[in-house]
Amino acid sequence: MSPTGIVVVAEQEKGEPTDVTLEMLACGRELADRAGGPLTCLLLTDRGAPFRALPLAADRLVIVEDPALGAFNPEVHARVLAHQLKAMAPALVLLGNTAAGMDLAGPLSLLLGGTAVSGCVRVALEGGVIVATSRLYGGKLLAEVSVPAPALVLLMPGSYPRQKGMRDRVPKVEVQGGAGLAGPLRVRSCGILEPKAEDVDLRKVPVLVGAGRGVQTKDNLRIVEDLARALGGAVCATRPVVDQGWLPRSRQVGRSGLTVKPRLYLALGISGAPEHVEGMKEADLVVAVNTDAGAPIFDVAQYGATVDILDLVPILTEKLKAAKGGK
Amino acid sequence: MKAAVVLRQVPDVVEDLVIAGDGRSLSEEDVMYITNELDEHALEQALLLKARHSGTVTAIGLGGDAARDALATSVAKGADEAVFVPVDFAARGDNVVLSSHLASALREGGYDVILAGVHAADQLDAGLGGLLAARLGVPYVGGLTGVQLDAGGRTAVVHKEYPGGRLGVLEVDLPAVLGIQSAEQPPRYVPVSKVLQAKRALQVKEVRGPLPQVAGVTVRKLLKPESATHAKMLQGDEDAVATQIVALVKERGLL
Amino acid sequence: MNLDQVALTIIVGTGSVAFLARFVQIVLAVRKGAPEKWWDHLGRRVKSVVLDGLFQRRIYRERSAGILHGFIFWAFVFLFFSVVEIVMEGYVPGYRLPLGPLNGPLYLGQDLVAALGIVGVGMAIYRRTVSRPKRLMHEGNRAAIVMLLFILAILASFLFLNAARILQDRTAALGEWRPLSNGLAWVIASAGGSSIAPALEQAMWWTHIVALFAFLGWFPYTKHAHIVFAVLNVFFRKPEPPGAIRAIPAERAENPGAGVVRDLTWVSLLNAFACTECGRCTDNCPAHGSGATIDPMHLMMRLRAAVLARAVPSTTPARIAMDGGVPAAQDLFLSVHGAEAVWSCMTCLSCVDGCPVMNDHLSKVIEMRRRLVAQGEIPAGLQETLQSLDRYGNSFKGTPKARTKWARGGQPALKDARKEKVDALWFVGDYASYDARCQGLTARTARVLARAGVDLGILYEAEWNAGNDVRRIGEEGLFEKLRDHNVEAMKGSTFRDIVTTDPHTYNTLKNEYPAANGGRVLHYTELLDELIQSGRLRFSKKLPYRVTYHDPCYLGRYNGVYDAPRRVLAALGVEVVEMPRNRHRSFCCGAGGGRIWMGEVPGEKERPAESRVKEAAALPGVQTLAVACPKDYVMFTDAAKAAGLEGSLQVRDLIELVEEAL
C-alpha cells in the first residue's frame, strides 16, 4: 500500500460520530497498523466543535466545516469528498454501507478513478493487495474480492468492534472550509421528516419479541403481543412485517429501522437477513425460533429451536404467567 | 415525462446456490433468474408517475433470456416500450460493466428520470444507479420511498429513507437517476393471461454490441459462510422448549 | 254482455295484463345477459326438469317443507283446470270442461288436492309464526303470510263454492266425485245453513275469481315468480357437473368476468327470478356463518333488483359508477356484493347444492373474481401465492426440487412415472408434498399402497399444482398454464388410472382436465375401498375407536363420494358416529376458494374450522375426527388447538387409521 494510507469518511448524528464510523476507524486502525501508513478520519459537518477533542483512533482528523454540510446531500457531499480525497490520494477509502454511503460510492469511485465494493464485513491486506469480504444473496454467500487501489469499501455496520474506534489520545485536528461547494446544485436538501412520536421507544425496552414472516398473519400478532406482555416487554418486527402494515414503522428493527440492544431478544419466525440482524445483534441474549434449521438467525442467536412458533407462543405465555404468579 | 426503468435479472435464492468448479462464480446451469425485487419496485414507481403525470415508461431488461419474460410482464403492467440488453453470464453481476454499457444506450433516450432498485442481491460493487448517474453526468439519490414530479417536469421531490423511520426530503433537478428502496404502493399484480398476451405481441428493441472492457472487482473466492458461533438448539416439543425458555429467562433475572 | 260479465272481464283482464306485463319485463331484462348455450344435453335437462322441477327432490331434504310444498304445488297444478272452468262459467252458464267421463275423476283430484293444499298452507303458516326457522326470518313475514292467506282464500273458496252447489243440486255438481266438498256441504246443512247456499255460491265464486286474479297479477312481482321461472331455471342450467367451471369465452378475453349485470349470462340472471328466498343457501354458508358479509340469498335478491335496475345500494360508500353508461344500480360490486364479500367465499358448494330451484350462486362469485383479477385488485396474501404458483408451480414459494422431499428415504423409492410405465399415476398435490404436517401422511400413504401391491409412480418435479383453487380464484390464465403444463407432463407417461389424496386436485383432474387414457381418476379413499373389497388390503386388527368423519367439500358435495370413505372406516372396525351436519350438509373447513392463502375476513367471529371441530367434539364418546383431505387435516389441527380441544379431540387422516389396522 502506498504511504498515503487510509481514509475513513465519518458520519455524524447530533454532534456524535455514529457507531459505524467508530467501527470503520477500528477497521482502518487495524489495517493502518499492519501497513504502516497513516489513518485519516474525514468529517463533513456544519459544526466541528464537538469533534475536536474526541480520542478517535485516527492519526489525523480533517473536519470540513460549512453550513451547507448540515443535512446529507449526495451531490454536495460527493463534491466535497472528491475534492478532499483527490488531494489526499489514499489507497483505501472506508465508507459506511448506509443510506449516505451507498449514494456516494458510485459517483465517488468514478470521480477518483477507483473501484467500490459494498456489503463488506472484513477488509484485509494480503501482499499489498486490499482484499474485502462481502456478503451476497441476503447473507447466503460470501465473496472474497481483491480491489485495486484506490479502493472504496462500504463497511457493513456491526462488522468491527466499535470500542476499537477510540483510543487513548486525540488525533491531530485540521479544520477546513467547504471548498468544492461552488457552483449550481442540482440536488437540494429540504429538511427531514421525523416519524410520529410513538407510544413506545423500543430502544428503552429491556425485552423485545421480534415478529418475522413466520408469524404468517396479522391475526397471529395477538398471541405475540400476549407473550410480550407476559415478559414485560414490547413487540418489534422485521421490514416485511412492517411493509405489510401489521405494525407501524416505529416498530421496525434493522438497517432502515431502529438499532436495539435489549437484554433479551426473542426472534420469532425471523430468518435472520443481514438488514435485520444489523439492528439487533447486540442484544445480551438472543433466542430464535424458526422451523428452518438452516436460517441465518441461528448464527446470531445464543439459543434456538425449530418448533412451530404458533404452537410455542401460547404455551410459553402460559408458563411465564405461571412462573410469575408463583412468586 | 419520459421514464426508463432498469430491470436486472438476478439469481433466484429460492433455489440453492451452487458454486461452480472454479470456486469463484455460480454454476451457470443451476441458476434460475428472477427480476431484482427492488427493480420491481422501481417499475411500480415509474408506472405510478406515468399515471400521475402522463408520459411514457421504457422497461430495460438486463441479463439473459429471462429478461424477455420480465419485459413482457412490464408491458402487461403498463410499460410502453421494451428494450432488451443481453449480457453474458459472467458480467451479469458487475455494475461497473453494466453501467458503462447502459450509459451509451441511455444517453440517446433523452429520459427525464431513470429508476433502478437501490440494491440487488448479487451486487458486489457500488449500486448500478449511482454508477449510471455518474457516467451520464446526472445527479443521483438513492434509498427512496417516494417520488413526486413537479408540474413542469423539471424537478423531482424525493423521500430518502434513514434509520428509525426518518425521511429526508430532497429536490432533484431532472434528468436524474433515482435509486428506489420501495415504491409508494406494492408492485401491482397483472393476470397471467395479460402477460401471455403481452408476450405474443411483444416488440423488443435489442441493444447488441460488445460489453465495455472496464475493470471492476475481481472475485477471488465464493464461499458459504460458516459462522463462528451457532445457537445451542433446544430439544423437544413445544412444551419442552417453552420450559427451557422460561428457565433461561428466570436465570437472567428477567422475569 | 251483462254487468257481471263486464266485471269478470275487468278482473280477469287486469290480472292477466299485470301478469303478462311483469313476465315480459322480466324476460326482456334477463335477455340482456350474455349468451349461453342451452340446447345441448337435452335428455339430461328434461330428466332434471322431471326430478327436480316436478318432483322437487331437493325440497324434501327438509321433510316437512317438502311435504307442505308438495301439497300446495299439486293443488295449483290440478286446480289450473278448475280455473278455466270457473272463468268460462261466467260467460257460458253451466260450462264444464269437455273431458267426457274424466270430469269426475278430475273433480275428485281437485277436491283432494285443495284439502291437502289447505293443510300445506296451515303448515306453512305454522312455520312462519310458531316454529320460525332462522333462515326464513330475513325479510319479515308479512308478505309471505299475505301470500299464504291468498292461497288459502283460493283453496277454501273453491271448496266452499262446491259445497254451496252441492247443497243446491248435488247431482249437477257431481257431488259424488267431491267427497270433501260433500262433507263440507253436509256440515253446513247439519248446522241448518242450507238456505244460505245460493248466496254462499255467489260469494265464493266471486271470492275465488278475485283472489285468483289478484294473485295472478301480483305474484310475479314477488318471490313467487318462481312459480313460472323455477322450472325454466332447472331446464336451462348447465348440464355439466358442478366441479367443472366454464372457461372464459374467446370473445370476452379482453374483459373477462363480470362487473355489471349484462356481463353475466342470461341463464345466470334467470336464477334471480327462480329464487324462492328460502335461505337454504345462506343457512350452511361457512363464510356467512363466520361473520363475513357474503350472503348467497341476498346476493340473489339484490341481483334481481339489479337486473330490473332498481338499485338496492349495498354498504359500500356511494360513488357513481359509469361503465359505458351503465348506472351504479347495475354495477355488481356496488349493488350486489362488494369485493370483500366476493373474496370471502370458500367455494364449498353448500349454496348451489342446497338450492331447490338449482340456482348457481358460485358461478357469479367466480365471474366477479375474474373481473377483480383482471383489474389486479386481489388481496395481498393472494398476490404472493399466485406469483409463487406462476414461477415455481407451487403455492409454497419452494423450489420445485423440494416437491419430493417427503419421498426421500422411503423404501423402496417411488417409481418415476416419467420414465417407467405404471398402473396408477399418483398426482400428489401441493399440500401433501410441501406442507410439513402433511408430508408424514403422504409417506404413510406410499407405504400403505405399496403394502397393497399397487403399482404406483409419481411425476416428481414435473408435477405442478393442479390449479383447482387457482381457477376458483378467477386467475383463469394461470389455471390454463398449470393445466397445460401438467397435461404435457402426463402425456409422456404411461398409466391407467390417476390417484390423488387431495380432493381439490381430484376435482379438477376429474372434471376439468382432458380425459386421461380412458382410465379413471380416483381419490385414495376410493382406491382403498376397492383394495379392501378385492382383498388386496387386509387388516390384522379391529380399531376400537368411536370416530366421526368429515366429508370434504370437493369429494362429497362436488363429486358425490360419500360412501367409499365410510366403507373403509367400517372395514377398520371403528364405530362411525355422524355429526349433525354430515354428507351433503358437511360444513366446510374454510380453506377452499383460495381462502387458505388469504388473511382473515374482517369481522370474522368464529372460523368455520373451529365451529366444525366443536361440532365433532360435542358428539358423545367421540375422540377422533377422521379426515380425507390434507387441507382439512391442517385446518382442523390448527382449529383444535385454537379451540383448546387438543386433549379431547384428535384429528387423524384415514390413512393413519388404515396403517394402524394393518
Side-chain angles (χ1 to χ4, degrees):
Chain A
M1 188 187 306
S2 83
T4 46
I6 304 173
V7 175
V8 168
V9 175
E11 291 183 21
Q12 58 93 7
E13 201 185 308
K14 298 189 182 135
E16 283 187 16
T18 59
D19 284 348
V20 75
T21 305
L22 297 174
E23 289 158 19
M24 286 193 282
L25 285 169
C27 169
R29 184 76 267 155
E30 191 186 290
L31 290 169
D33 289 343
R34 187 92 50 82
L39 174 63
T40 307
C41 180
L42 178 53
L43 172 67
L44 274 54
T45 178
D46 57 343
R47 277 194 354 112
F51 300 95
R52 293 191 204 212
L54 284 179
L56 301 170
D59 299 309
R60 186 168 70 123
L61 170 62
V62 176
I63 301 179
V64 181
E65 197 168 16
D66 190 291
L69 295 171
F72 176 71
N73 178 322
E75 193 181 25
V76 171
H77 276 62
R79 278 198 208 167
V80 173
L81 285 172
H83 180 90
Q84 292 290 334
L85 291 170
K86 276 193 187 143
M88 292 178 192
L92 170 65
V93 179
L94 288 171
L95 291 150
N97 200 100
T98 59
M102 298 217 286
D103 276 3
L104 296 169
L108 267 185
S109 67
L110 284 177
L111 285 169
L112 299 175
T115 314
V117 187
S118 61
C120 298
V121 291
R122 257 199 70 64
V123 188
L125 201 52
E126 286 174 30
V129 175
I130 299 162
V131 177
T133 306
S134 183
R135 299 178 86 152
L136 294 175
Y137 306 112
K140 287 202 175 180
L141 284 185
L142 288 175
E144 240 182 54
V145 171
S146 63
V147 198
L152 289 95
V153 170
L154 290 155
L155 200 63
M156 290 283 277
S159 309
Y160 279 82
R162 88 180 78 91
Q163 316 87 274
K164 300 227 173 117
M166 300 270 219
R167 57 182 180 178
D168 51 0
R169 51 192 185 282
V170 175
K172 196 165 105 177
V173 176
E174 243 178 71
V175 180
Q176 299 189 16
L181 280 172
L185 286 177
R186 294 171 305 175
V187 180
R188 297 169 288 280
S189 172
C190 305
I192 305 274
L193 293 175
E194 297 284 346
K196 287 191 288 262
E198 265 306 323
D199 50 333
V200 115
D201 184 352
L202 291 180
R203 289 170 293 201
K204 304 206 170 93
V205 178
V207 175
L208 288 176
V209 180
R213 274 203 224 225
V215 167
Q216 281 173 39
T217 67
K218 184 176 182 172
D219 199 36
N220 292 332
L221 277 177
R222 270 187 264 143
I223 54 171
V224 178
E225 270 157 23
D226 288 342
L227 175 60
R229 247 193 304 274
L231 281 165
V235 178
C236 62
T238 59
R239 191 193 183 107
V241 169
V242 171
D243 279 350
Q244 298 259 56
W246 298 351
L247 282 170
R249 205 159 284 284
S250 55
R251 297 290 181 124
Q252 185 177 319
V253 165
R255 173 182 306 161
S256 39
L258 294 169
T259 301
V260 293
K261 297 162 202 173
R263 293 185 60 200
L264 167 64
Y265 190 92
L266 189 49
L268 302 177
I270 293 177
S271 63
E275 299 78 36
H276 178 72
V277 166
E278 236 179 82
M280 45 63 68
K281 68 203 291 197
E282 302 201 28
D284 288 348
L285 173 62
V286 178
V287 179
V289 184
N290 192 310
T291 49
D292 177 5
I297 191 74
F298 292 120
D299 295 333
V300 180
Q302 285 86 4
Y303 293 93
T306 53
V307 294
D308 186 326
I309 53 174
L310 300 178
D311 294 337
L312 174 69
V313 170
I315 299 177
L316 183 54
T317 308
E318 282 314 304
K319 287 188 190 269
L320 285 165
K321 285 192 190 154
K324 285 203 298 196
K327 277 177 136 191
Chain B
M1 174 207 76
K2 230 185 143 185
V5 181
V6 180
L7 299 163
R8 273 186 50 198
Q9 300 305 299
V10 300
D12 188 349
V13 298
V14 161
E15 302 292 338
D16 290 323
L17 297 166
V18 179
I19 301 175
D22 66 358
R24 290 188 285 123
S25 55
L26 287 179
S27 156
E28 184 169 359
E29 53 188 40
D30 291 296
V31 174
M32 272 190 59
Y33 282 99
I34 192 173
T35 304
N36 178 28
E37 192 185 336
L38 294 187
D39 289 346
E40 297 270 22
H41 280 263
L43 175 63
E44 182 62 29
Q45 187 65 51
L47 293 170
L48 290 171
L49 289 175
K50 176 182 165 178
R52 280 183 224 148
H53 305 281
S54 82
T56 59
V57 172
T58 301
I60 302 172
L62 286 180
D65 284 324
R68 288 185 194 270
D69 289 340
L71 289 172
T73 306
S74 308
V75 169
K77 286 188 183 179
D80 303 283
E81 230 200 348
V83 176
F84 174 43
V85 181
V87 178
D88 295 334
F89 178 74
R92 283 178 199 164
D94 191 331
N95 285 333
V96 175
V97 169
L98 293 176
S99 60
S100 181
H101 191 48
L102 266 186
S104 23
L106 286 174
R107 238 185 283 272
E108 287 126 43
Y111 298 106
D112 301 309
V113 61
I114 300 170
L115 298 134
V118 69
H119 182 265
D122 67 344
Q123 86 182 35
L124 269 174
D125 43 30
L128 181 59
L131 287 166
L132 196 50
R135 288 198 194 273
L136 291 171
V138 299
Y140 173 74
V141 189
L144 306 183
T145 56
V147 179
Q148 294 274 8
L149 301 180
D150 76 332
R154 316 301 334 270
T155 52
V157 174
V158 299
H159 285 179
K160 182 180 164 71
E161 208 180 51
Y162 288 113
R166 299 162 75 223
L167 291 175
V169 183
L170 296 121
E171 217 181 65
V172 186
D173 286 344
L174 300 180
V177 177
L178 303 176
I180 303 295
Q181 174 66 54
S182 68
E184 287 159 39
Q185 75 190 31
R188 64 195 61 184
Y189 183 76
V190 59
V192 169
S193 52
K194 266 216 182 122
V195 175
L196 287 174
Q197 245 178 321
K199 241 187 226 177
R200 268 176 262 142
L202 194 62
Q203 295 184 318
V204 176
K205 207 177 94 177
E206 265 191 48
V207 171
R208 292 222 166 259
L211 291 175
Q213 296 296 323
V214 281
V217 282
T218 319
V219 179
R220 295 199 332 178
K221 211 171 12 166
L222 263 190
L223 30 102
K224 291 219 158 71
E226 330 149 352
S227 57
T229 64
H230 193 266
K232 179 161 181 290
M233 300 306 282
L234 304 172
Q235 299 301 319
D237 66 355
E238 293 81 19
D239 203 84
V241 169
T243 310
Q244 294 172 75
I245 294 180
V246 173
L248 281 170
V249 171
K250 253 182 151 157
E251 198 182 277
R252 304 282 175 126
L254 289 167
L255 201 53
Chain C
M1 227 202 298
N2 63 39
L3 206 58
D4 275 354
Q5 287 171 339
V6 169
L8 175 63
T9 311
I10 291 174
I11 293 170
V12 170
T14 316
S16 306
V17 166
F19 166 80
L20 275 169
R22 179 61 164 189
F23 181 78
V24 168
Q25 181 195 18
I26 291 175
V27 168
L28 289 177
V30 164
R31 276 170 62 95
K32 290 206 185 108
E36 181 169 333
K37 188 163 150 180
W38 58 269
W39 51 90
D40 57 340
H41 299 285
L42 283 171
R44 216 183 284 181
R45 292 178 185 272
V46 169
K47 180 170 165 202
S48 184
V49 167
V50 171
L51 291 175
D52 299 308
L54 233 44
F55 294 110
Q56 298 141 20
R57 46 185 180 171
R58 280 225 185 131
I59 308 187
Y60 285 89
R61 284 181 176 177
E62 192 186 338
R63 185 81 59 82
S64 61
I67 292 175
L68 78 84
H69 187 272
F71 285 170
I72 299 176
F73 174 80
W74 290 107
F76 269 73
V77 171
F78 273 79
L79 292 180
F80 170 74
F81 298 96
S82 81
V83 168
V84 175
E85 215 173 60
I86 288 176
V87 169
M88 289 309 292
E89 274 176 11
Y91 299 103
V92 179
Y95 177 87
R96 206 168 272 178
L97 282 172
L99 297 172
L102 288 177
N103 281 96
L106 177 63
Y107 296 157
L108 174 61
Q110 287 173 348
D111 231 41
L112 288 172
V113 295
L116 288 176
I118 292 175
V119 170
V121 168
M123 286 168 76
I125 292 181
Y126 178 82
R127 277 160 69 84
R128 292 265 171 193
T129 53
V130 179
S131 66
R132 301 176 73 96
K134 192 153 158 284
R135 61 179 163 78
L136 288 180
M137 301 292 116
H138 59 92
E139 298 280 288
N141 282 316
R142 206 170 348 120
I145 291 181
V146 168
M147 212 28 121
L148 286 166
L149 292 176
F150 255 102
I151 299 174
L152 184 61
I154 293 170
L155 297 174
S157 61
F158 176 74
L159 288 176
F160 274 100
L161 172 63
N162 293 334
R165 287 179 175 169
I166 288 170
L167 283 173
Q168 292 170 86
D169 184 347
R170 195 168 176 279
T171 327
L174 264 69
E176 63 273 22
W177 286 104
R178 303 184 196 263
L180 291 142
S181 307
N182 212 26
L184 203 53
W186 184 84
V187 168
I188 298 173
S190 318
S194 307
S195 53
I196 65 161
L200 186 63
E201 184 190 354
Q202 270 279 43
M204 288 298 107
W205 193 90
W206 282 106
T207 305
H208 191 79
I209 292 284
V210 168
L212 204 58
F213 284 92
F215 181 81
L216 179 72
W218 185 41
F219 90 84
Y221 292 85
T222 69
K223 62 175 181 161
H224 285 84
H226 79 264
I227 293 173
V228 170
F229 293 107
V231 167
L232 294 172
N233 197 48
V234 172
F235 179 79
F236 287 122
R237 70 171 175 136
K238 73 171 187 187
E240 59 262 28
I245 294 183
R246 291 192 172 171
I248 298 173
E251 61 269 16
R252 299 296 309 280
E254 294 289 315
N255 194 20
V260 297
V261 167
R262 61 165 185 243
D263 289 331
L264 293 170
T265 69
W266 63 267
V267 172
S268 188
L269 298 180
L270 186 61
N271 283 181
F273 298 96
C275 173
T276 67
E277 299 183 21
C278 71
R280 287 181 191 196
C281 48
T282 302
D283 220 20
N284 214 27
C285 175
H288 182 79
S290 71
T293 51
I294 193 171
D295 182 329
M297 183 177 73
H298 281 96
L299 185 158
M300 281 301 171
M301 291 163 64
R302 291 198 199 114
L303 182 63
R304 191 168 64 206
V307 173
L308 297 170
R310 267 184 348 238
V312 176
S314 62
T315 53
T316 51
R319 62 180 199 269
I320 307 299
M322 299 312 281
D323 181 344
V326 175
Q330 296 201 335
D331 179 321
L332 294 172
F333 291 100
L334 290 180
S335 300
V336 177
H337 262 332
E340 192 185 285
V342 167
W343 287 118
S344 68
C345 173
M346 290 145 189
T347 70
C348 75
L349 210 69
S350 269
C351 49
V352 176
D353 184 77
C355 181
V357 297
M358 322 305 271
N359 274 349
D360 192 348
H361 317 64
L362 181 58
S363 71
K364 299 163 196 10
V365 168
I366 292 179
E367 288 298 319
M368 289 170 80
R369 285 181 171 191
R370 284 175 169 172
R371 177 57 57 87
L372 289 171
V373 168
Q375 288 164 192
E377 289 167 29
I378 56 181
L382 203 53
Q383 179 165 341
E384 270 189 43
T385 310
L386 291 174
Q387 282 168 337
S388 172
L389 284 159
D390 187 17
R391 208 179 142 69
Y392 307 113
N394 65 75
S395 56
F396 288 81
K397 207 174 168 184
T399 153
K401 297 192 198 99
R403 185 174 278 276
T404 43
K405 187 166 149 202
W406 65 268
R408 284 169 220 161
Q411 296 296 344
L414 269 173
K415 273 177 156 185
D416 188 334
R418 298 171 293 183
K419 304 185 186 132
E420 299 177 65
K421 176 177 174 315
V422 295
D423 232 19
L425 174 64
W426 184 7
F427 201 101
V428 187
D430 253 22
Y431 261 78
S433 308
Y434 282 96
D435 187 295
R437 289 166 287 194
C438 303
Q439 286 168 340
L441 298 174
T442 316
R444 245 186 247 273
T445 311
R447 284 200 297 272
V448 169
L449 293 176
R451 273 277 285 265
V454 179
D455 180 26
L456 273 185
I458 61 176
L459 290 167
Y460 284 84
E461 304 87 67
E463 182 190 307
W464 280 10
N465 184 303
N468 186 69
D469 290 2
V470 171
R471 189 171 219 191
R472 280 139 188 85
I473 283 168
E475 237 289 19
E476 189 73 5
L478 181 56
F479 167 73
E480 284 172 4
K481 181 174 174 177
L482 294 167
R483 182 184 57 188
D484 293 345
H485 171 96
N486 285 321
V487 166
E488 201 50 47
M490 290 194 282
K491 249 194 215 150
S493 310
T494 316
F495 56 88
R496 198 188 57 219
D497 297 325
I498 302 180
V499 177
T500 181
T501 58
D502 189 329
H504 294 234
T505 311
Y506 172 78
N507 180 66
T508 193
L509 286 175
K510 187 168 178 185
N511 298 310
E512 296 176 321
Y513 275 50
N517 322 342
R520 303 166 299 169
V521 176
L522 294 171
H523 186 247
Y524 82 102
T525 53
E526 294 181 294
L527 179 61
L528 286 174
D529 184 40
E530 269 183 19
L531 292 170
I532 294 170
Q533 308 265 12
S534 66
R536 283 165 68 189
L537 195 63
R538 289 174 209 281
F539 302 115
S540 65
K541 54 178 181 283
K542 294 275 179 202
L543 301 177
Y545 307 132
R546 268 171 77 93
V547 154
T548 187
Y549 172 70
H550 167 85
D551 289 284
C553 303
Y554 280 89
L555 193 60
R557 265 189 299 271
Y558 270 92
N559 290 291
V561 179
Y562 297 112
D563 295 315
R566 287 176 169 78
R567 284 195 292 263
V568 171
L569 284 169
L572 297 173
V574 299
E575 187 189 340
V576 178
V577 181
E578 298 285 359
M579 286 184 271
R581 294 179 292 192
N582 62 70
R583 291 180 178 256
H584 63 260
R585 282 198 43 91
S586 179
F587 193 69
C588 178
C589 74
R595 286 236 46 94
I596 200 169
W597 299 320
M598 303 185 212
E600 69 169 20
V601 177
E604 192 171 66
K605 292 179 312 230
E606 183 184 54
R607 298 236 174 99
E610 280 183 46
S611 166
R612 190 60 163 164
V613 294
K614 285 185 190 159
E615 188 181 350
L619 296 170
V622 166
Q623 290 189 312
T624 307
L625 170 58
V627 297
C629 167
K631 296 181 197 60
D632 279 336
Y633 184 80
V634 166
M635 297 294 283
F636 290 139
T637 310
D638 284 345
K641 277 188 211 144
L645 291 167
E646 300 107 286
S648 42
L649 188 72
Q650 252 198 328
V651 177
R652 302 185 75 189
D653 191 288
L654 242 69
I655 202 70
E656 295 182 78
L657 296 168
V658 167
E659 204 188 30
E660 197 181 320
L662 278 180

